[in-house]
Amino acid sequence: GAVVSQHPSRVICKSGTSVKIECRSLDFQATTMFWYRQFPKQSLMLMATSNEGSKATYEQGVEKDKFLINHASLTLSTLTVTSAHPEDSSFYICSAQGGSTDTQYFGPGTRLTVL
Amino acid sequence: AQSVTQPDIHITVSEGASLELRCNYSYGATPYLFWYVQSPGQGLQLLLKYFSGDTLVQGIKGFEAEFKRSQSSFNLRKPSVHWSDAAEYFCAVGLYGAQKLVFGQGTRLTINP
């Protein structure tokens, strides 16, 4: 149980384009979803927290207009990197948390490369 | 500010040897503590967690961790490692329950045959 998927697993795009990453909870309802960014050989940094049907809460320093988060259903959240630039290249990881648990379950991550 | 420190960036142990990965945290309240493992190409997998109660916590894959409030530590242990344990290990403290996780830098574990 508690499986979280992400799609795509890796994506390469040109500078200036937008990229959408999907995060799905496959076998539970995720009232809260989280988006993290992980730089090479570094830890995970929380970007934003989203509750189903509400606007996402962004961490300090994260541009909400660049990283658009939608959590329209209890099983799906999307992260759209708008007007991507090479410095946005990173590993993006989502996690999901059900209403009755105090545990986050993580997706496998999406490797974004912006050329 | 809340923080998690994993002092060892990289540890190498021989297969069959015992393992201890260190984790220290800074948090004013009673913490929620987690250990996750990240293998290449896979998502973070929860090994174990501590919220309250018995300070020795058993997890999956033969791992255990001990919460020591006096030392602000939550070290991960395994009596005998297997080659498949090679991975990156992250300690995390949960704020507001587990609503916000603060991760340590991670410890990369290499297993010698």
Side-chain angles (χ1 to χ4, degrees), chain A residues 9-29:
Chain A
S9 58
R10 58 178 68 228
V11 56
I12 300 173
C13 69
K14 293 182 178 180
S15 185
T17 61
S18 294
V19 173
K20 180 184 285 188
I21 302 170
E22 292 186 349
C23 176
R24 293 181 184 273
S25 57
L26 299 184
D27 51 4
F28 67 102
Q29 293 187 323

Side-chain angles (χ1 to χ4, degrees), chain A residues 37-63:
Chain A
R37 185 171 179 175
Q38 185 179 29
F39 291 99
K41 299 182 187 284
Q42 293 189 31
S43 188
L44 285 77
M45 299 297 294
L46 178 65
M47 299 174 64
T49 303
S50 72
N51 292 295
E52 186 262 339
S54 302
K55 289 185 177 180
T57 301
Y58 291 81
E59 294 299 302
Q60 192 172 10
V62 177
E63 299 176 61

Side-chain angles (χ1 to χ4, degrees), chain A residues 34 43 59 97 102-104, chain B residues 36 49 98-100 103-104:
Chain A
F34 306 84
S43 188
E59 294 299 302
Q97 185 177 47
D102 279 320
T103 300
Q104 293 183 29
Chain B
Y36 284 90
K49 59 188 177 185
Q99 281 299 304
K100 179 172 179 176
F103 285 86

